[in-house]
Amino acid sequence: MFLTNNIADAFMISGVMKMPFKFLGSEVWLTSSALTTCLITIIILILVIALRKVILNAASNPLKSPTGVQNFLELGIEALGGMGDSVLGDNTSRFINYIGTIFVFILFSNLAGLLGLRAPTADYGVTFLLGIMTFIIVQFQNIKNNKFGAITSLFQPTPVLFPINIIGEFANPLSISLRLFANMLSGVIILGLWYGMLPIFAKIGIPAALHVYCDLFSGAIQTYVFCMLTMVYINDKL
Amino acid sequence: MNFSGLDFVHGCSAIGAGLAMIAGIGPGVGQGIAAGYGASAVGKNPGARSDITSTMLLGQAVAETTGLYGLVVAIILMFVKPFG
């Protein structure tokens, strides 16, 4: 409409490579989100392998007082454990691996905007998958712990409310995925418009403040909220 | 200047996108109320500052959701162009 295509390209998902095959009759593209996700996964893998070495060193001589990276790592792990304890209580150890994994992945995805990449979490395909994973883990715990109560609870307090309860169950993954997606997308669009539309002198200094709010602050808050709500949903079904 | 039917649909989509962003009022009021009560809670009990802050931020992020639904509707109307 009002935007020419090349400005809209600044914040839209772009196809990098067309795949030589078709899936269910439609074209398959390798998108920028997929590439960025691969890059983030590689960065996390390298980081994790390096940090594993630090932990193994610390475990081999436990009497040595922790230094540098190990301190930082222990701080992070303790913060994550405290976050889990405040919601899940005694069940923290069963779920903290999953929560920690999605926490690190979402945090790195949100921070990708700082490197000039398009944040993968600003793609609904990525966040919807995260929401579905939460949905599956919640419903699995529901059936495992409540047995038939999982179905009968849908008819509480009166059977008339059955459709509302069904919608309520399916609204959870939809709302947490949409919340993360829309927050990151708004940041990507604001920065894309700022970089694409304004004259050159407005692009010095000011975008740094926008990056601090849209990528660092908003990204960290949304990561925290996603993991917190996942734990709250799981705790409801225990 | 000639207007085709498609131009009219696109113009109406832009107006609809603007109207959808009225949804931003509600979360603004809600987040402000939450921040105000958070500030008064810190004033009453400064020791619980970190707990209050995390609870406030979680509540604000959940209250933000309805506004974000409006944003998603506006973005779909502007860029996906579902009506033409």
Side-chain angles (χ1 to χ4, degrees):
Chain A
M1 267 180 272
F2 308 115
L3 299 172
T4 57
N5 278 332
N6 54 1
I7 289 174
D9 278 348
F11 54 82
M12 287 214 174
I13 304 165
S14 52
V16 178
M17 206 173 81
K18 193 178 167 184
M19 290 287 154
F21 54 87
K22 287 193 167 187
F23 181 73
L24 298 179
S26 43
E27 292 177 352
V28 182
W29 282 78
L30 186 68
T31 60
S32 53
S33 313
L35 273 185
T36 317
T37 313
C38 291
L39 193 68
I40 286 164
T41 314
I42 291 168
I43 291 172
I44 293 176
L45 265 179
I46 292 170
L47 214 62
V48 164
I49 290 170
L51 291 178
R52 182 174 177 271
K53 199 162 272 183
V54 174
I55 294 178
L56 285 183
N57 278 340
S60 61
N61 45 352
L63 293 179
K64 194 167 149 282
S65 61
T67 54
V69 182
Q70 197 193 337
N71 271 327
F72 189 68
L73 201 61
E74 285 178 2
L75 201 71
I77 300 282
E78 270 172 23
L80 199 67
M83 194 175 103
D85 273 336
S86 68
V87 180
L88 288 170
D90 292 338
N91 297 303
T92 308
S93 56
R94 283 165 61 199
F95 298 105
I96 202 66
N97 289 334
Y98 173 70
I99 301 293
T101 308
I102 56 169
F103 189 92
V104 172
F105 176 73
I106 297 174
L107 187 65
F108 275 68
S109 301
N110 291 349
L111 295 183
L114 292 177
L115 302 176
L117 301 166
R118 194 183 186 283
T121 37
D123 182 350
Y124 194 52
V126 176
T127 55
F128 188 55
L129 203 62
L130 291 168
I132 286 180
M133 278 157 65
T134 297
F135 181 71
I136 288 172
I137 202 168
V138 166
Q139 293 306 322
F140 178 76
Q141 291 300 324
N142 192 9
I143 292 166
K144 186 183 163 197
N145 295 314
N146 298 332
K147 304 285 190 295
F148 286 110
I151 296 164
T152 53
S153 70
L154 291 174
F155 293 95
Q156 302 291 337
T158 59
V160 182
L161 291 177
F162 174 70
I164 309 282
N165 284 332
I166 285 279
I167 292 171
E169 287 295 321
F170 282 96
N172 286 348
L174 210 64
S175 73
I176 54 169
S177 59
L178 263 181
R179 184 177 301 126
L180 179 60
F181 162 71
N183 261 290
M184 298 324 292
L185 182 70
S186 59
V188 165
I189 286 181
I190 290 169
L191 284 163
L193 289 179
W194 196 277
Y195 281 124
M197 283 186 133
L198 290 171
I200 189 76
F201 62 83
K203 293 181 194 172
I204 302 165
I206 303 167
L210 285 176
H211 271 295
V212 166
Y213 179 76
C214 293
D215 289 340
L216 278 177
F217 180 72
S218 190
I221 293 280
Q222 290 309 316
T223 311
Y224 173 75
V225 167
F226 192 96
C227 294
M228 208 69 178
L229 284 178
T230 301
M231 287 192 293
V232 168
Y233 291 155
I234 290 172
N235 194 40
D236 279 349
K237 304 296 183 192
L238 286 179
Chain B
M1 206 171 166
N2 289 321
F3 284 105
S4 67
L6 204 59
D7 288 338
F8 183 70
V9 169
H10 283 169
C12 287
S13 294
I15 293 172
L19 288 177
M21 285 315 292
I22 295 175
I25 294 173
V29 173
Q31 287 182 332
I33 292 173
Y37 278 111
S40 85
V42 172
K44 281 178 190 157
N45 188 0
R49 190 193 182 98
S50 62
D51 277 353
I52 292 167
T53 308
S54 62
T55 311
M56 186 190 79
L57 286 175
L58 188 68
Q60 284 183 331
V62 174
E64 206 177 4
T65 313
T66 49
L68 293 174
Y69 292 157
L71 176 73
V72 170
V73 170
I75 286 169
I76 288 173
L77 281 175
M78 282 294 284
F79 298 114
V80 185
K81 297 172 190 165
F83 302 115

